[in-house]
Amino acid sequence: MKSKFLIPLLLLCATKVTAYTDVPALVNMNVSRQSDTMGFNIVYELQNLFYDLILQERVTLWDSPRKSTRITAATLQAIENSSGTKFNKSQNIFLHEFWSSTRRRTSFTIVGISFINDGKQGKVSYGYCDLAEVWSILSNTDMPTNVNGPARLTYSQALYSRNYNFNLVQFGRKKFTNKPEESLDIRDKAFFSKREVEGLYRIPTNKYIQYLIEPDLDDTKEIGNVLFANLQEFLNQNREVLLNIGGDKYFDYKNFKSEVSVTRIEVNEIWEKKPGFVDYKVQNLVIYVNNKPLDPVGLDVVLNWGVLYNFKTVEDVLKEKAFRYTLLRMNSTFITDTDSPKFLKALEKYSWTQVSRYVKFY
């Protein structure tokens, strides 16, 4: 009889370990443990964003998750001054979450952030922010990404991507001071096993690219040179268009009679990696006349001008990339002239999440 009850009992114990619903979880993220290849440092960026929001009084800083006392911007600065610390210079932040998991699936909800620093006299608690109060800002504000990251990533997407290093420091009432390996076991089973993680944001394989077209001025038939020449001719023949896209900042429409010269063209695109090729999505152009930048012009506007280049539209020309060009910027990172070929080679030959590594050892 004993053995008949033993198997169900063991199964029940196993279920308790592997399945749970809405368990409070406290997650720690350390700024120095975030790898450059992740594409962003979520700890650094969250600290700076929330610091600005708190000082602008656009989000409430509470004393704790119980939200019994509001900490004003002036009080926060007084805490910084008295402790000799800075809110946005902390090594760690803590996410307050709820985890649910079964043998097949894991889900998680992030509800708040606690900001704590290390001072000369011990821990300094700045306070707690409820994410529900600021979710619209997190969902509509882009996080800066380096060359390894995607073209665009909001703070809310970054939080739910789990593309960052994190540790579980409390699970329900259980802390892991004496047995940290238990923390790793729970975390890894939930997020780094075969279980499907529901609501996980999948970071796309794309880049925001800004580049400068380098026409061959010695070859009138070179497509880059043709692009410059035809745009220049169009703008000189359509002065109203020129003035409407920012030319009025430099030229008086009443007295403006001389011709202008197109001296520089910068192109902003989204590059998306597809199987076997890269899809170039033109966002806008910045045309310089007489070395002065006009307003960014969307691709749809340029196409409406009806200017052709060897029987091709400007979109055709830009997508074919049959001209010389130099990278100026990739995501939030500015690229030097000398490094441009290295970054282009990295995008051609290497993983798009390892671009900086390729360039470093090029």
Side-chain angles (χ1 to χ4, degrees):
M1 287 292 292
K2 222 173 194 182
S3 62
K4 291 182 180 180
F5 292 99
L6 183 58
I7 294 176
L9 180 60
L10 290 173
L11 290 174
L12 179 60
C13 291
T15 303
K16 287 183 178 179
V17 172
T18 59
Y20 46 85
T21 303
D22 289 336
V23 176
L26 186 63
V27 168
N28 164 253
M29 297 188 297
N30 182 279
V31 68
S32 60
R33 292 191 64 245
Q34 307 308 313
S35 171
D36 183 62
T37 58
M38 292 174 176
F40 53 91
N41 191 315
I42 193 169
V43 181
Y44 176 83
E45 301 299 346
L46 283 172
Q47 286 178 350
N48 285 312
L49 175 69
F50 274 87
Y51 192 49
D52 289 341
L53 294 176
I54 292 166
L55 294 184
Q56 296 168 15
E57 298 185 341
R58 296 174 63 193
V59 62
T60 303
L61 180 65
W62 300 97
D63 60 327
S64 72
R66 295 181 180 180
K67 301 198 298 185
S68 57
T69 303
R70 180 176 179 271
I71 299 174
T72 65
T75 302
L76 172 59
Q77 291 177 317
I79 294 173
E80 290 179 314
N81 292 333
S82 63
S83 63
T85 62
K86 289 291 291 184
F87 179 97
N88 59 341
K89 300 294 183 182
S90 305
Q91 285 294 307
N92 301 281
I93 62 174
F94 295 85
L95 301 180
H96 297 258
E97 307 181 357
F98 286 96
W99 291 9
S100 298
S101 193
T102 65
R103 289 183 180 275
R104 295 184 178 181
R105 294 180 178 84
T106 293
S107 63
F108 67 109
T109 303
I110 308 172
V111 296
I113 306 179
S114 283
F115 298 92
I116 299 174
N117 206 340
D118 293 310
K120 293 181 180 180
Q121 298 180 354
K123 296 291 183 183
V124 180
S125 177
Y126 299 119
Y128 168 86
C129 287
D130 187 333
L131 292 192
E133 298 178 12
V134 73
W135 196 250
S136 62
I137 296 176
L138 298 178
S139 300
N140 293 284
T141 304
D142 288 347
M143 174 180 288
T145 57
N146 63 33
V147 295
N148 301 311
R152 181 176 182 269
L153 187 72
T154 66
Y155 281 84
S156 59
Q157 290 169 340
L159 282 165
Y160 276 91
S161 72
R162 275 302 198 230
N163 188 43
Y164 44 82
N165 286 318
F166 66 97
N167 289 318
L168 177 64
V169 296
Q170 187 170 339
F171 191 66
R173 295 183 178 180
K174 186 174 182 59
K175 298 181 180 180
F176 306 97
T177 306
N178 297 324
K179 294 183 178 181
E181 65 276 5
E182 293 183 3
S183 163
L184 296 176
D185 183 59
I186 295 172
R187 182 200 66 179
D188 292 351
K189 282 182 178 177
F191 291 95
F192 303 115
S193 64
K194 294 182 179 180
R195 298 178 191 182
E196 176 189 353
V197 182
E198 297 179 344
L200 194 69
Y201 179 73
R202 305 292 181 182
I203 295 178
T205 308
N206 59 18
K207 308 288 181 191
Y208 171 83
I209 299 291
Q210 182 183 58
Y211 63 85
L212 173 68
I213 296 177
E214 306 273 11
D216 185 352
L217 301 179
D218 295 326
D219 184 356
T220 57
K221 295 183 179 181
E222 188 266 331
I223 191 63
N225 203 343
V226 173
L227 181 64
F228 271 65
N230 288 12
L231 279 177
Q232 180 173 299
E233 181 181 3
F234 173 81
L235 292 175
N236 278 306
Q237 292 178 355
N238 297 270
R239 296 300 176 90
E240 186 177 352
V241 172
L242 172 64
L243 296 171
N244 286 340
I245 61 173
D248 58 346
K249 292 181 290 187
Y250 314 112
F251 310 109
D252 182 351
Y253 74 95
K254 293 180 180 180
N255 303 317
F256 177 44
K257 295 180 180 179
S258 60
E259 290 194 351
V260 298
S261 175
V262 172
T263 54
R264 180 183 174 104
I265 299 176
E266 296 173 0
V267 186
N268 296 292
E269 299 180 346
I270 301 294
W271 291 13
E272 185 173 0
K273 193 170 189 179
K274 299 288 184 69
F277 72 101
V278 175
D279 184 19
Y280 306 109
K281 299 178 181 178
V282 183
Q283 304 299 295
N284 58 61
L285 286 74
V286 179
I287 302 169
Y288 286 65
V289 294
N290 298 0
N291 296 319
K292 298 177 176 65
L294 301 177
D295 297 335
V297 185
L299 177 63
D300 55 339
V301 174
V302 180
L303 290 175
N304 284 335
W305 293 348
V307 183
L308 296 179
Y309 312 85
N310 297 347
F311 304 101
K312 298 177 181 179
T313 68
V314 66
E315 183 176 20
D316 296 330
V317 172
L318 294 176
K319 281 180 173 290
E320 287 177 358
K321 300 281 186 295
F323 46 79
R324 294 182 301 181
Y325 61 97
T326 302
L327 293 186
L328 299 174
R329 179 177 162 190
M330 187 183 301
N331 295 340
S332 299
T333 303
F334 290 97
I335 310 297
T336 64
D337 290 350
T338 54
D339 283 341
S340 174
K342 302 175 187 177
F343 281 97
L344 287 171
K345 186 67 70 174
L347 294 176
E348 178 187 355
K349 301 289 186 180
Y350 210 57
S351 166
W352 280 25
T353 60
Q354 308 283 323
V355 172
S356 63
R357 183 170 295 177
Y358 182 92
V359 172
K360 181 179 180 181
F361 298 105
Y362 180 82

